[in-house]
């Protein structure tokens, strides 16, 4: 998010605008935490994870009068337009602001990559790079001690992080919400691997299916004495959100930030910037919010062709 705030600030300044950052998410509007942003304030921010403006989940925006109160405060402060960076909740707030006739655009900012209308959101690539780095490190112990590891990753109700990290770490099983896992097949996959003299295995569990702990319990119940490896659990947790922005994310956030400012200046409102097949585009909030984003079909095919156990697609 920091590289996006930097790009918005610098593009705004280059185009003769005054730019303000709102601290603490929507709550900062109600608390009057609007701070002027210049080149100095965003200096170096392209390298930092998280957001230097800080953020929060804001209950007041979900109240009926919340969006109208927010717009009134923005107008009192002579703010002419707003760019919101966030996931489904933040963009739902932005959509309500748009319905009140106030100029607003959104940028997709969530590691879950669950926003319809963009192939990828800001933060996903950095989170995945952190995840694969950590899984690679767990694999050192898996191999040295000839163990099976269950690794729980984030993603809310999306299996994107779990699936992509399974593919790119050479792990054996992805347990994801979009597919129903079959414990018999999971154990068969791992046992086959042992028979082929591989001495370790890794199962990546998306938090949206169950906790890694519950998956371990299910494995123990179902596997009984058929699976002859020690199994250990690693829950990656919030470190997944703290990685230094990757090259890909810096560029994505910078391009999206610039695009949003130019679009807002041209009178665009009520939509989210997305990257679709390599091109920046705007999609209306009402075309994207509440829609279920599917996993890329080439990624599930790829996983299957690599011999990764993912189970059967859940009917939606
Ligand atoms: O939506 C991003 C995300 O990191 C999810 O993957 C995760 O479930 C959630 O946020 C964690 O939220 P919190 O930091 O409030 O515990």
């Amino acid at each position: 998010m920091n590289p996006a705030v930097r790009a918005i600030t610098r593009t705004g300044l280059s185009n003769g605008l005054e730019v303000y950052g709102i601290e603490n998410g929507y709550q900062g509007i109600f608390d009057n935490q609007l701070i002027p942003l210049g080149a100095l304030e965003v200096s170096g921010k392209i390298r930092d994870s998280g957001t230097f403006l800080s953020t929060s989940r804001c209950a007041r925006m979900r109240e009926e009068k919340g969006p109208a109160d927010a717009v009134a405060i923005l107008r009192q402060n002579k703010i002419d337009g707003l760019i919101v960076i966030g996931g489904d909740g933040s963009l739902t707030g932005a959509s309500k602001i748009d319905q009140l006739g106030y100029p607003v655009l959104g940028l997709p900012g969530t590691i879950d990559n669950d926003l319809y209308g963009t192939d990828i959101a800001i933060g996903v690539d950095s989170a995945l790079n952190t995840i694969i780095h950590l899984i690679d490190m767990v694999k050192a112990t898996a191999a040295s001690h000839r163990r099976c590891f269950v690794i729980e990753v984030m993603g809310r109700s999306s299996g994107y992080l779990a699936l992509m990290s399974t593919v790119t770490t050479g792990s054996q099983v992805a347990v994801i919400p979009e597919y129903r896992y079959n414990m018999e097949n999971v154990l068969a996959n791992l046992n086959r691997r042992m028979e082929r003299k591989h001495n370790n295995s890794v199962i990546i569990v998306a938090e949206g299916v169950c906790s890694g702990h519950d998956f371990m319990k299910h494995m123990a119940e179902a596997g009984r004495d058929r699976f002859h490896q020690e199994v250990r659990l690693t829950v990656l947790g919030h470190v997944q959100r703290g990685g230094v922005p990757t090259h890909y994310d810096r560029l994505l956030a910078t391009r999206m930030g610039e695009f949003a400012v130019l679009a807002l200046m041209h009178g665009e409102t009520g939509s989210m910037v997305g990257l679709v097949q390599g091109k920046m585009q705007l999609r209306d909030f009402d075309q994207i919010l509440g829609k279920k984003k599917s996993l890329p079909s080439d990624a599930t095919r790829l996983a299957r062709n690599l011999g990764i156990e993912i189970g059967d697609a859940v009917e939606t």
Side-chain angles (χ1 to χ4, degrees), residues 3-172:
V5 175
R6 172 182 179 271
I8 290 166
T9 304
R10 295 190 70 95
T11 305
L13 296 175
S14 297
N15 286 275
L17 304 180
E18 265 182 71
V19 183
Y20 285 78
I22 299 169
E23 292 180 315
N24 213 15
Y26 286 119
Q27 189 58 44
I29 301 180
F30 302 116
D31 298 341
N32 240 330
Q33 291 176 286
L34 275 64
I35 55 162
L37 294 182
L40 192 60
E41 282 70 28
V42 295
S43 176
K45 297 296 183 267
I46 199 156
R47 295 186 290 273
D48 293 347
S49 53
T51 164
F52 75 97
L53 290 173
S54 74
T55 188
S56 63
R57 305 203 193 277
C58 174
R60 190 158 164 200
M61 262 310 269
R62 287 193 294 272
E63 289 170 12
E64 206 179 322
K65 274 179 75 266
D69 290 346
V71 167
I73 297 169
L74 290 169
R75 289 204 166 113
Q76 276 160 23
N77 282 280
K78 303 200 186 326
I79 305 288
D80 299 321
L82 182 67
I83 296 175
V84 175
I85 313 168
D88 199 61
S90 311
L91 299 184
T92 300
S95 166
K96 290 183 184 154
I97 286 178
D98 167 61
Q99 284 156 20
L100 294 162
Y102 187 86
V104 56
L105 290 177
L107 295 192
T110 168
I111 64 165
D112 303 337
N113 207 22
D114 58 352
L115 281 171
Y116 197 87
T118 189
D119 292 342
I120 193 140
I122 295 166
V124 176
D125 189 67
S126 303
L128 271 172
N129 275 283
T130 302
I131 292 169
I132 67 170
H133 176 61
L134 295 168
I135 294 174
D136 287 350
M137 293 203 288
V138 170
K139 274 178 180 265
T141 301
S144 308
H145 289 260
R146 298 180 294 283
R147 283 178 184 160
C148 170
F149 270 85
V150 172
I151 301 181
E152 181 193 313
V153 299
M154 280 184 166
R156 221 180 272 270
S157 57
S158 162
Y160 188 85
L161 294 177
L163 180 64
M164 297 322 246
S165 58
T166 307
V167 167
T168 52
T169 53
S171 297
Q172 283 62 56

Side-chain angles (χ1 to χ4, degrees), residues 124-240:
V124 176
D125 189 67
S126 303
L128 271 172
N129 275 283
T130 302
I131 292 169
I132 67 170
H133 176 61
L134 295 168
I135 294 174
D136 287 350
M137 293 203 288
V138 170
K139 274 178 180 265
T141 301
S144 308
H145 289 260
R146 298 180 294 283
R147 283 178 184 160
C148 170
F149 270 85
V150 172
I151 301 181
E152 181 193 313
V153 299
M154 280 184 166
R156 221 180 272 270
S157 57
S158 162
Y160 188 85
L161 294 177
L163 180 64
M164 297 322 246
S165 58
T166 307
V167 167
T168 52
T169 53
S171 297
Q172 283 62 56
V173 180
V175 177
I176 51 178
E178 296 83 353
Y179 280 66
R180 189 171 296 109
Y181 73 90
N182 175 321
M183 189 55 87
E184 287 303 312
N185 293 347
V186 170
L187 293 172
N189 180 303
L190 300 183
N191 280 328
R192 258 197 319 275
R193 184 171 160 82
M194 294 305 116
E195 282 157 20
R196 289 188 201 127
K197 309 273 183 264
H198 291 282
N199 71 3
N200 66 90
S201 46
V202 173
I203 301 171
I204 313 286
V205 177
E207 64 173 2
V209 179
C210 61
S211 69
H213 189 258
D214 285 347
F215 186 84
M216 293 267 290
K217 264 175 45 193
H218 187 190
M219 235 181 131
E221 285 158 16
R224 292 181 198 95
D225 47 4
R226 279 180 295 141
F227 185 56
H228 301 291
Q229 259 197 322
E230 260 184 89
V231 187
R232 290 280 199 278
L233 172 66
T234 301
V235 179
L236 296 187
H238 285 78
V239 289
Q240 293 164 89

